[in-house]
Coordinates of all heavy atoms in Angstrom, one line a residue:
M1 N 84.1 129.8 81.1 CA 84.7 128.5 81.5 C 86.1 128.7 82.0 O 86.5 128.1 83.0 CB 84.7 127.6 80.2 CG 85.3 126.3 80.5 SD 84.2 125.3 81.5 CE 85.1 123.7 81.4
S2 N 86.9 129.6 81.4 CA 88.2 129.8 81.8 C 88.3 130.5 83.2 O 89.2 130.3 84.0 CB 89.0 130.7 80.8 OG 88.4 131.9 80.6
T3 N 87.3 131.4 83.5 CA 87.2 132.0 84.8 C 87.0 131.0 85.9 O 87.7 131.0 86.9 CB 86.1 133.0 84.8 OG1 86.2 134.0 83.7 CG2 86.1 133.8 86.1
L4 N 86.2 130.0 85.6 CA 85.9 128.9 86.6 C 87.2 128.1 86.8 O 87.5 127.8 87.9 CB 84.8 128.0 86.1 CG 84.4 126.8 87.0 CD1 83.9 127.3 88.3 CD2 83.4 126.0 86.3
L5 N 87.9 127.8 85.7 CA 89.2 127.1 85.9 C 90.2 127.9 86.6 O 91.0 127.3 87.4 CB 89.7 126.7 84.5 CG 88.9 125.6 83.8 CD1 89.3 125.5 82.3 CD2 89.0 124.3 84.5
N6 N 90.3 129.2 86.4 CA 91.2 130.0 87.2 C 90.9 130.0 88.6 O 91.8 130.0 89.5 CB 91.3 131.4 86.6 CG 92.1 131.5 85.3 OD1 93.1 130.8 85.1 ND2 91.7 132.4 84.4
V7 N 89.6 130.1 88.9 CA 89.2 130.1 90.3 C 89.5 128.8 91.0 O 90.0 128.7 92.1 CB 87.6 130.4 90.4 CG1 87.1 130.2 91.8 CG2 87.4 131.9 90.0
C8 N 89.2 127.7 90.3 CA 89.6 126.4 90.8 C 91.1 126.2 91.1 O 91.5 125.7 92.1 CB 89.1 125.3 89.8 SG 87.3 125.1 89.8
G9 N 91.9 126.7 90.1 CA 93.3 126.7 90.3 C 93.8 127.4 91.6 O 94.6 127.0 92.4
T10 N 93.2 128.6 91.8 CA 93.5 129.4 92.9 C 93.1 128.7 94.2 O 93.8 128.7 95.2 CB 92.9 130.8 92.8 OG1 93.3 131.4 91.6 CG2 93.3 131.7 94.0
F11 N 91.9 128.2 94.1 CA 91.3 127.4 95.3 C 92.2 126.2 95.7 O 92.4 126.0 96.8 CB 89.9 127.0 95.0 CG 89.2 126.3 96.1 CD1 88.8 127.0 97.2 CD2 88.9 124.9 96.0 CE1 88.1 126.4 98.2 CE2 88.3 124.3 97.1 CZ 87.9 125.0 98.2
V12 N 92.7 125.5 94.7 CA 93.6 124.4 94.9 C 94.9 124.8 95.6 O 95.4 124.1 96.5 CB 93.9 123.6 93.6 CG1 95.0 122.6 93.7 CG2 92.6 122.9 93.1
I13 N 95.4 125.9 95.2 CA 96.6 126.4 95.9 C 96.4 126.8 97.3 O 97.1 126.4 98.2 CB 97.2 127.7 95.1 CG1 97.8 127.3 93.8 CG2 98.2 128.4 96.0 CD1 98.3 128.4 93.0
V14 N 95.3 127.4 97.6 CA 95.0 127.8 99.0 C 94.7 126.6 99.8 O 95.3 126.5 100.9 CB 93.7 128.7 99.0 CG1 93.2 128.9 100.4 CG2 94.0 130.1 98.3
I15 N 94.0 125.6 99.3 CA 93.7 124.4 100.0 C 95.0 123.6 100.2 O 95.3 123.0 101.3 CB 92.7 123.5 99.3 CG1 91.4 124.2 99.2 CG2 92.6 122.1 99.9 CD1 90.7 124.4 100.6
G16 N 95.9 123.6 99.3 CA 97.2 122.9 99.4 C 98.1 123.6 100.5 O 98.7 122.8 101.3
F17 N 98.1 124.9 100.6 CA 98.8 125.5 101.7 C 98.2 125.3 103.0 O 98.9 125.0 104.0 CB 98.9 127.1 101.4 CG 100.1 127.5 100.5 CD1 99.9 127.8 99.2 CD2 101.3 127.5 101.0 CE1 100.9 128.1 98.4 CE2 102.4 127.9 100.2 CZ 102.2 128.2 98.9
I18 N 96.9 125.3 103.1 CA 96.2 125.0 104.4 C 96.5 123.6 104.8 O 96.8 123.4 106.0 CB 94.7 125.4 104.2 CG1 94.5 126.9 104.1 CG2 94.0 124.8 105.5 CD1 93.1 127.3 103.8
S19 N 96.3 122.7 103.9 CA 96.6 121.3 104.3 C 98.0 121.0 104.6 O 98.3 120.2 105.5 CB 96.1 120.3 103.2 OG 96.9 120.5 102.0
G20 N 98.9 121.7 104.0 CA 100.3 121.6 104.3 C 100.6 122.1 105.7 O 101.4 121.5 106.5
I21 N 100.0 123.2 106.1 CA 100.2 123.8 107.4 C 99.5 122.9 108.5 O 100.1 122.7 109.5 CB 99.6 125.2 107.5 CG1 100.5 126.2 106.6 CG2 99.6 125.7 108.9 CD1 99.9 127.5 106.4
I22 N 98.4 122.4 108.2 CA 97.6 121.5 109.1 C 98.4 120.2 109.4 O 98.3 119.6 110.4 CB 96.2 121.3 108.6 CG1 95.4 122.6 108.7 CG2 95.5 120.2 109.4 CD1 94.0 122.5 108.2
S23 N 99.1 119.7 108.3 CA 99.8 118.5 108.5 C 100.8 118.4 109.7 O 101.0 117.4 110.3 CB 100.5 118.1 107.2 OG 101.7 118.9 107.0
G24 N 101.4 119.6 110.0 CA 102.2 119.7 111.2 C 103.6 119.3 111.0 O 104.5 119.4 111.9
S25 N 104.0 118.8 109.8 CA 105.4 118.4 109.5 C 105.9 119.2 108.3 O 105.1 119.6 107.4 CB 105.5 116.9 109.3 OG 104.9 116.5 108.1
F26 N 107.2 119.4 108.2 CA 107.7 120.1 107.1 C 107.5 119.3 105.8 O 107.2 119.9 104.8 CB 109.2 120.4 107.4 CG 109.9 121.1 106.2 CD1 109.6 122.5 106.0 CD2 110.8 120.5 105.4 CE1 110.2 123.2 105.0 CE2 111.4 121.2 104.4 CZ 111.1 122.5 104.2
L27 N 107.7 118.0 105.9 CA 107.6 117.1 104.7 C 106.1 117.2 104.2 O 105.9 117.2 103.0 CB 108.0 115.7 105.1 CG 108.1 114.7 103.9 CD1 109.2 115.3 102.9 CD2 108.5 113.4 104.4
G28 N 105.2 117.1 105.1 CA 103.8 117.2 104.7 C 103.4 118.6 104.1 O 102.7 118.7 103.2
F29 N 104.1 119.6 104.6 CA 103.9 121.0 104.0 C 104.4 121.0 102.6 O 103.7 121.5 101.7 CB 104.6 122.0 104.9 CG 104.5 123.4 104.3 CD1 103.3 124.1 104.4 CD2 105.6 124.0 103.7 CE1 103.2 125.4 103.9 CE2 105.5 125.2 103.2 CZ 104.3 126.0 103.3
I30 N 105.6 120.4 102.4 CA 106.2 120.4 101.1 C 105.4 119.6 100.1 O 105.1 120.1 99.0 CB 107.7 119.9 101.1 CG1 108.6 120.8 102.0 CG2 108.2 119.6 99.7 CD1 108.7 122.2 101.4
F31 N 104.9 118.4 100.5 CA 104.1 117.6 99.6 C 102.7 118.3 99.3 O 102.3 118.3 98.2 CB 103.8 116.2 100.2 CG 105.0 115.3 100.1 CD1 105.4 114.5 101.1 CD2 105.7 115.2 98.9 CE1 106.5 113.6 101.0 CE2 106.7 114.3 98.7 CZ 107.1 113.6 99.8
G32 N 102.2 119.0 100.3 CA 100.9 119.7 100.1 C 101.0 120.8 99.1 O 100.2 121.0 98.2
V33 N 102.1 121.6 99.3 CA 102.4 122.7 98.4 C 102.7 122.3 97.0 O 102.1 122.8 96.0 CB 103.5 123.6 99.0 CG1 103.9 124.7 98.0 CG2 103.0 124.3 100.3
I34 N 103.6 121.3 96.9 CA 104.0 120.8 95.5 C 102.8 120.2 94.8 O 102.5 120.5 93.6 CB 105.1 119.8 95.6 CG1 106.4 120.6 96.0 CG2 105.3 119.1 94.3 CD1 107.6 119.7 96.3
G35 N 102.0 119.4 95.5 CA 100.8 118.9 94.9 C 99.8 119.9 94.4 O 99.2 119.8 93.4
S36 N 99.6 120.9 95.3 CA 98.6 122.0 94.9 C 99.1 122.8 93.8 O 98.4 123.2 92.9 CB 98.3 122.8 96.1 OG 99.4 123.6 96.5
V37 N 100.4 123.1 93.7 CA 101.0 123.9 92.7 C 100.9 123.1 91.3 O 100.5 123.7 90.3 CB 102.5 124.3 93.0 CG1 103.2 124.8 91.8 CG2 102.5 125.3 94.1
V38 N 101.2 121.9 91.3 CA 101.1 121.1 90.1 C 99.6 121.0 89.6 O 99.4 121.2 88.4 CB 101.7 119.6 90.3 CG1 101.3 118.7 89.2 CG2 103.2 119.7 90.5
S39 N 98.7 120.8 90.6 CA 97.3 120.7 90.2 C 96.8 122.1 89.7 O 96.1 122.2 88.7 CB 96.5 120.3 91.4 OG 96.8 119.0 91.8
S40 N 97.2 123.2 90.3 CA 96.8 124.5 89.9 C 97.4 124.9 88.5 O 96.7 125.5 87.7 CB 97.1 125.5 90.9 OG 98.5 125.6 91.1
I41 N 98.6 124.4 88.2 CA 99.2 124.6 86.9 C 98.4 124.0 85.8 O 98.1 124.6 84.8 CB 100.7 124.1 86.9 CG1 101.6 125.1 87.7 CG2 101.2 124.0 85.4 CD1 103.0 124.6 87.8
L42 N 97.9 122.8 86.1 CA 97.0 122.1 85.2 C 95.7 122.9 85.0 O 95.2 123.1 83.8 CB 96.7 120.7 85.6 CG 97.8 119.7 85.6 CD1 97.4 118.4 86.3 CD2 98.3 119.5 84.2
F43 N 95.1 123.4 86.0 CA 93.9 124.2 85.9 C 94.2 125.5 85.1 O 93.4 125.9 84.2 CB 93.3 124.6 87.3 CG 92.5 123.5 87.9 CD1 93.0 122.8 89.0 CD2 91.3 123.2 87.4 CE1 92.2 121.8 89.6 CE2 90.5 122.2 88.0 CZ 91.0 121.5 89.1
F44 N 95.3 126.2 85.4 CA 95.6 127.4 84.7 C 95.9 127.1 83.2 O 95.5 127.9 82.3 CB 96.8 128.1 85.3 CG 96.5 128.6 86.7 CD1 97.5 128.6 87.7 CD2 95.3 129.1 87.0 CE1 97.3 129.1 88.9 CE2 95.0 129.6 88.3 CZ 96.0 129.5 89.3
A45 N 96.6 126.0 82.9 CA 96.8 125.6 81.5 C 95.5 125.3 80.8 O 95.3 125.7 79.6 CB 97.7 124.4 81.4
L46 N 94.6 124.6 81.4 CA 93.3 124.3 80.8 C 92.5 125.6 80.6 O 91.8 125.8 79.6 CB 92.5 123.4 81.7 CG 92.9 121.9 81.7 CD1 92.2 121.1 82.7 CD2 92.8 121.3 80.3
A47 N 92.6 126.6 81.5 CA 92.0 127.9 81.3 C 92.5 128.6 80.1 O 91.8 129.2 79.3 CB 92.1 128.8 82.5
K48 N 93.9 128.5 79.9 CA 94.5 129.2 78.7 C 94.1 128.5 77.4 O 93.8 129.1 76.4 CB 96.0 129.1 78.9 CG 96.8 129.8 77.8 CD 96.5 131.3 77.8 CE 97.4 131.9 76.7 NZ 97.0 133.3 76.5
I49 N 94.0 127.2 77.5 CA 93.6 126.4 76.3 C 92.1 126.8 76.0 O 91.8 126.9 74.8 CB 93.7 124.9 76.5 CG1 95.2 124.5 76.6 CG2 93.0 124.1 75.5 CD1 95.5 123.1 77.0
S50 N 91.3 126.9 77.0 CA 89.9 127.3 76.7 C 89.8 128.6 76.1 O 89.0 128.8 75.2 CB 89.2 127.2 78.1 OG 87.8 127.7 77.9
D51 N 90.6 129.6 76.6 CA 90.6 130.9 76.0 C 91.0 130.9 74.5 O 90.4 131.5 73.6 CB 91.5 131.9 76.7 CG 91.0 132.3 78.0 OD1 89.7 132.3 78.2 OD2 91.7 132.8 78.9
V52 N 92.1 130.1 74.2 CA 92.6 130.0 72.8 C 91.5 129.4 71.9 O 91.3 129.8 70.8 CB 93.9 129.3 72.8 CG1 94.3 128.9 71.4 CG2 95.0 130.1 73.5
Q53 N 90.9 128.3 72.5 CA 89.8 127.7 71.7 C 88.7 128.6 71.4 O 88.1 128.5 70.3 CB 89.3 126.4 72.4 CG 90.3 125.2 72.3 CD 89.8 124.0 73.0 OE1 88.9 124.1 73.9 NE2 90.3 122.9 72.6
E54 N 88.3 129.4 72.3 CA 87.2 130.3 72.1 C 87.6 131.4 71.0 O 86.8 131.7 70.2 CB 86.8 131.0 73.4 CG 86.1 130.2 74.4 CD 85.8 130.8 75.7 OE1 86.2 132.0 75.9 OE2 85.3 130.1 76.6
T55 N 88.8 131.8 71.1 CA 89.3 132.8 70.1 C 89.3 132.1 68.7 O 88.9 132.7 67.7 CB 90.7 133.2 70.4 OG1 90.7 133.8 71.7 CG2 91.2 134.3 69.4
I56 N 89.8 130.9 68.6 CA 89.9 130.2 67.3 C 88.4 129.9 66.8 O 88.2 130.1 65.6 CB 90.6 128.8 67.5 CG1 92.1 129.1 67.7 CG2 90.4 127.9 66.2 CD1 92.9 127.9 68.0
L57 N 87.5 129.5 67.7 CA 86.1 129.3 67.3 C 85.5 130.6 66.7 O 84.8 130.6 65.7 CB 85.3 128.8 68.4 CG 83.9 128.5 68.1 CD1 83.8 127.4 67.1 CD2 83.2 128.0 69.4
F58 N 85.8 131.7 67.4 CA 85.2 133.0 66.9 C 85.8 133.3 65.5 O 85.1 133.7 64.6 CB 85.6 134.1 67.9 CG 85.2 135.5 67.4 CD1 83.9 135.9 67.4 CD2 86.1 136.4 66.9 CE1 83.5 137.1 67.0 CE2 85.8 137.6 66.5 CZ 84.4 138.0 66.5
Q59 N 87.1 133.1 65.3 CA 87.7 133.4 64.0 C 87.2 132.5 62.9 O 86.9 132.9 61.8 CB 89.2 133.3 64.1 CG 89.9 134.4 64.9 CD 91.4 134.2 65.1 OE1 91.9 133.1 64.8 NE2 92.0 135.2 65.6
L60 N 87.0 131.2 63.3 CA 86.4 130.3 62.3 C 85.0 130.7 61.9 O 84.6 130.6 60.8 CB 86.4 128.8 62.8 CG 87.8 128.1 62.8 CD1 87.7 126.8 63.6 CD2 88.3 127.9 61.4
Q61 N 84.2 131.1 62.9 CA 82.8 131.5 62.6 C 82.8 132.8 61.7 O 82.0 132.9 60.8 CB 82.0 131.7 63.9 CG 81.7 130.5 64.6 CD 81.1 130.7 66.0 OE1 81.2 131.8 66.5 NE2 80.5 129.7 66.6
T62 N 83.7 133.7 62.0 CA 83.8 134.9 61.2 C 84.2 134.5 59.8 O 83.6 135.0 58.8 CB 84.9 135.9 61.8 OG1 84.5 136.1 63.1 CG2 84.9 137.1 61.0
N63 N 85.2 133.6 59.6 CA 85.6 133.2 58.3 C 84.5 132.5 57.6 O 84.3 132.6 56.4 CB 86.9 132.3 58.4 CG 88.1 133.1 58.7 OD1 88.1 134.4 58.5 ND2 89.2 132.5 59.1
N64 N 83.8 131.6 58.3 CA 82.7 130.9 57.7 C 81.6 131.8 57.2 O 81.1 131.6 56.1 CB 82.1 129.9 58.7 CG 81.1 128.9 58.1 OD1 81.2 128.7 56.9 ND2 80.3 128.4 58.9
H65 N 81.3 132.8 58.0 CA 80.3 133.8 57.6 C 80.8 134.6 56.3 O 80.0 134.8 55.4 CB 80.1 134.8 58.7 CG 79.0 135.8 58.4 ND1 77.7 135.5 58.2 CD2 79.1 137.2 58.3 CE1 77.0 136.6 57.9 NE2 77.9 137.6 58.0
S66 N 82.1 134.9 56.3 CA 82.6 135.6 55.1 C 82.6 134.8 53.9 O 82.2 135.2 52.8 CB 84.0 136.1 55.4 OG 84.1 137.0 56.5
S67 N 82.9 133.5 54.1 CA 82.9 132.6 52.9 C 81.5 132.3 52.4 O 81.3 132.1 51.3 CB 83.7 131.3 53.1 OG 83.7 130.9 54.4
E68 N 80.6 132.3 53.4 CA 79.2 132.1 53.0 C 78.7 133.3 52.1 O 78.0 133.1 51.1 CB 78.3 131.9 54.2 CG 78.3 130.5 54.8 CD 77.5 130.4 56.1 OE1 76.9 131.4 56.5 OE2 77.5 129.3 56.6
Q69 N 79.1 134.5 52.5 CA 78.7 135.6 51.8 C 79.4 135.6 50.4 O 78.7 135.9 49.4 CB 79.1 136.9 52.5 CG 78.2 137.2 53.7 CD 78.7 138.4 54.5 OE1 79.8 138.9 54.3 NE2 77.8 138.9 55.4
L70 N 80.6 135.2 50.4 CA 81.3 135.1 49.1 C 80.7 134.0 48.2 O 80.5 134.2 47.0 CB 82.8 134.8 49.3 CG 83.7 134.7 48.1 CD1 83.8 136.1 47.4 CD2 85.1 134.3 48.5
Y71 N 80.3 132.9 48.8 CA 79.7 131.8 48.1 C 78.4 132.3 47.5 O 78.0 131.9 46.4 CB 79.5 130.6 49.0 CG 78.8 129.5 48.4 CD1 79.5 128.7 47.4 CD2 77.5 129.2 48.7 CE1 78.8 127.6 46.8 CE2 76.8 128.1 48.1 CZ 77.5 127.3 47.2 OH 76.8 126.3 46.6
K72 N 77.6 133.0 48.3 CA 76.3 133.5 47.8 C 76.5 134.4 46.6 O 75.7 134.4 45.7 CB 75.6 134.2 48.9 CG 75.0 133.3 49.9 CD 74.3 134.0 51.0 CE 73.8 133.1 52.1 NZ 73.1 133.8 53.2
K73 N 77.6 135.2 46.6 CA 77.8 136.1 45.4 C 78.2 135.3 44.2 O 77.8 135.7 43.1 CB 78.9 137.1 45.8 CG 78.5 138.2 46.8 CD 79.6 139.1 47.1 CE 79.3 140.1 48.2 NZ 80.4 140.9 48.6
E74 N 79.0 134.3 44.4 CA 79.5 133.5 43.2 C 78.5 132.4 42.8 O 78.7 131.9 41.7 CB 80.8 132.9 43.6 CG 82.0 133.9 43.8 CD 83.3 133.2 44.1 OE1 83.3 132.0 44.3 OE2 84.3 133.9 44.2
A75 N 77.6 132.0 43.6 CA 76.7 130.9 43.2 C 75.6 131.4 42.3 O 74.6 131.8 42.8 CB 76.2 130.2 44.5
N76 N 75.9 131.3 41.0 CA 74.9 131.8 40.1 C 74.1 130.7 39.4 O 73.0 131.0 38.9 CB 75.6 132.7 39.0 CG 76.2 133.9 39.7 OD1 75.7 134.4 40.7 ND2 77.3 134.3 39.1
K77 N 74.6 129.5 39.3 CA 73.9 128.4 38.7 C 73.4 127.5 39.7 O 73.9 127.3 40.8 CB 74.9 127.6 37.8 CG 75.3 128.2 36.5 CD 76.1 127.2 35.7 CE 76.5 127.8 34.4 NZ 77.4 126.8 33.7
V78 N 72.2 126.8 39.3 CA 71.6 125.8 40.2 C 71.5 124.6 39.3 O 70.9 124.6 38.2 CB 70.2 126.2 40.7 CG1 69.6 125.1 41.5 CG2 70.3 127.5 41.5
C79 N 72.0 123.5 39.8 CA 72.0 122.2 39.0 C 70.6 121.7 38.9 O 69.8 121.7 39.9 CB 72.9 121.2 39.7 SG 72.9 119.6 38.9
V80 N 70.1 121.4 37.7 CA 68.8 120.9 37.5 C 68.6 119.5 38.0 O 67.5 119.0 38.2 CB 68.4 121.0 36.0 CG1 68.3 122.5 35.6 CG2 69.3 120.2 35.1
N81 N 69.7 118.8 38.1 CA 69.7 117.4 38.5 C 69.6 117.2 40.1 O 68.8 116.4 40.6 CB 70.9 116.6 38.0 CG 70.8 115.2 38.2 OD1 69.8 114.6 38.1 ND2 72.0 114.5 38.4
C82 N 70.4 118.0 40.8 CA 70.5 117.8 42.3 C 70.2 119.1 43.1 O 70.3 119.1 44.3 CB 71.9 117.3 42.7 SG 73.3 118.4 42.4
D83 N 69.9 120.2 42.4 CA 69.6 121.5 43.0 C 70.8 122.1 43.8 O 70.6 122.8 44.8 CB 68.4 121.4 43.9 CG 67.1 121.2 43.2 OD1 67.1 121.7 42.0 OD2 66.2 120.6 43.7
Y84 N 72.0 121.8 43.4 CA 73.2 122.3 44.1 C 73.6 123.6 43.5 O 73.6 123.7 42.3 CB 74.3 121.2 44.0 CG 75.6 121.6 44.7 CD1 75.7 121.4 46.0 CD2 76.7 122.1 44.0 CE1 76.9 121.8 46.7 CE2 77.9 122.5 44.6 CZ 78.0 122.3 46.0 OH 79.1 122.6 46.7
R85 N 73.9 124.6 44.3 CA 74.3 125.9 43.8 C 75.8 125.9 43.6 O 76.6 125.4 44.5 CB 73.9 127.0 44.8 CG 72.5 127.2 44.9 CD 72.2 128.3 45.9 NE 70.8 128.5 46.0 CZ 70.1 129.4 45.3 NH1 70.7 130.2 44.5 NH2 68.8 129.6 45.5
F86 N 76.3 126.4 42.4 CA 77.7 126.5 42.2 C 78.0 127.7 41.3 O 77.1 128.3 40.8 CB 78.2 125.2 41.5 CG 77.5 124.8 40.2 CD1 78.1 125.1 39.0 CD2 76.3 124.1 40.2 CE1 77.5 124.7 37.8 CE2 75.7 123.7 39.1 CZ 76.3 124.0 37.8
N87 N 79.3 127.9 41.2 CA 79.8 129.1 40.5 C 79.4 129.0 39.0 O 79.5 127.9 38.4 CB 81.3 129.2 40.7 CG 81.9 130.5 40.2 OD1 81.3 131.2 39.5 ND2 83.1 130.8 40.7
S88 N 79.1 130.1 38.4 CA 78.7 130.1 37.0 C 79.8 129.9 36.0 O 79.6 129.6 34.9 CB 78.0 131.5 36.7 OG 78.9 132.5 36.8
T89 N 81.1 130.0 36.5 CA 82.2 129.7 35.6 C 82.5 128.3 35.4 O 83.2 127.9 34.5 CB 83.5 130.4 36.2 OG1 83.8 129.8 37.5 CG2 83.3 131.9 36.3
M90 N 81.9 127.4 36.2 CA 82.0 126.0 36.1 C 81.1 125.4 35.0 O 80.0 125.9 34.8 CB 81.7 125.2 37.4 CG 82.7 125.6 38.5 SD 82.2 124.7 40.0 CE 83.6 125.0 41.0
S91 N 81.6 124.4 34.3 CA 80.8 123.9 33.2 C 80.0 122.7 33.6 O 79.0 122.3 32.9 CB 81.7 123.4 32.0 OG 82.6 122.4 32.5
S92 N 80.3 122.1 34.8 CA 79.4 121.0 35.3 C 79.2 121.1 36.8 O 80.0 121.9 37.5 CB 80.1 119.7 34.9 OG 81.3 119.5 35.6
C93 N 78.3 120.5 37.3 CA 77.9 120.5 38.7 C 79.0 119.8 39.5 O 79.3 118.6 39.2 CB 76.6 119.9 39.0 SG 76.2 119.7 40.7
P94 N 79.7 120.4 40.5 CA 80.7 119.8 41.3 C 80.1 118.7 42.2 O 80.9 117.9 42.7 CB 81.4 120.9 42.1 CG 80.3 122.0 42.1 CD 79.5 121.8 40.9
N95 N 78.8 118.7 42.5 CA 78.2 117.7 43.3 C 77.9 116.4 42.7 O 78.2 115.4 43.2 CB 76.9 118.4 44.0 CG 76.4 117.5 45.1 OD1 77.1 117.0 45.9 ND2 75.1 117.5 45.1
C96 N 77.2 116.5 41.5 CA 76.8 115.3 40.8 C 77.5 115.1 39.4 O 77.3 114.0 38.9 CB 75.3 115.3 40.7 SG 74.6 116.5 39.5
G97 N 78.1 116.1 38.9 CA 78.8 116.0 37.6 C 77.9 116.3 36.4 O 78.3 116.1 35.3
Y98 N 76.6 116.7 36.6 CA 75.7 116.9 35.5 C 76.2 118.1 34.7 O 76.6 119.1 35.2 CB 74.3 117.2 36.1 CG 73.3 117.4 35.0 CD1 72.7 116.4 34.3 CD2 72.8 118.7 34.8 CE1 71.7 116.6 33.4 CE2 71.9 119.0 33.8 CZ 71.3 117.9 33.1 OH 70.4 118.1 32.2
R99 N 76.1 117.9 33.4 CA 76.4 119.0 32.4 C 75.2 119.4 31.7 O 74.4 118.6 31.3 CB 77.5 118.6 31.4 CG 78.8 118.4 31.9 CD 79.8 117.9 30.8 NE 81.1 117.8 31.3 CZ 82.0 118.8 31.1 NH1 81.8 119.9 30.4 NH2 83.2 118.6 31.5
R100 N 75.1 120.7 31.4 CA 73.9 121.2 30.6 C 74.2 121.1 29.2 O 75.2 121.3 28.6 CB 73.7 122.7 31.0 CG 73.0 122.8 32.3 CD 72.6 124.3 32.5 NE 72.1 124.4 33.8 CZ 71.5 125.4 34.3 NH1 71.4 126.5 33.5 NH2 71.0 125.5 35.5

């Protein structure tokens, strides 16, 4: 996704320069270049945000996998009332409150 956004940002800059040159006036060139630069900055920022979100998502999935493994090691009791797995050090079910 970020590669596509970077390509779009580059494409917008090129189109802005071309449209500025085609306009035939200095003011048209300036407006074309400024508009394309602002638009491309938005595309590049979205690409960076997408990269950061992918990194965060990967880290969250890794942490989730680690906590699931930890949870499986600690989950020794199964509640007879609601079939919820919980740590054997707890005296009651954290899901429904049932005590043995």
Side-chain angles (χ1 to χ4, degrees):
M1 180 72 173
S2 63
T3 305
L4 178 64
L5 289 169
N6 283 326
V7 168
C8 287
T10 306
F11 183 71
V12 166
I13 287 177
V14 171
I15 294 298
F17 274 101
I18 292 172
S19 66
I21 291 171
I22 291 175
S23 71
S25 69
F26 181 71
L27 192 59
F29 177 75
I30 295 297
F31 282 136
V33 170
I34 289 174
S36 67
V37 167
V38 169
S39 299
S40 64
I41 287 173
L42 291 174
F43 279 111
F44 295 145
L46 286 173
K48 182 65 176 172
I49 290 169
S50 176
D51 284 341
V52 169
Q53 283 182 339
E54 287 174 2
T55 304
I56 290 171
L57 182 62
F58 175 74
Q59 290 174 350
L60 284 174
Q61 288 172 343
T62 304
N63 286 344
N64 189 22
H65 182 64
S66 299
S67 28
E68 284 177 358
Q69 288 177 344
L70 181 64
Y71 176 75
K72 286 179 183 177
K73 289 179 183 176
E74 292 180 356
N76 296 330
K77 283 186 180 179
V78 177
C79 179
V80 295
N81 191 33
C82 67
D83 292 330
Y84 183 78
R85 292 181 181 265
F86 60 97
N87 194 340
S88 62
T89 60
M90 295 180 169
S91 61
S92 65
C93 175
N95 191 39
C96 69
Y98 180 79
R99 288 182 176 259
R100 285 186 183 189

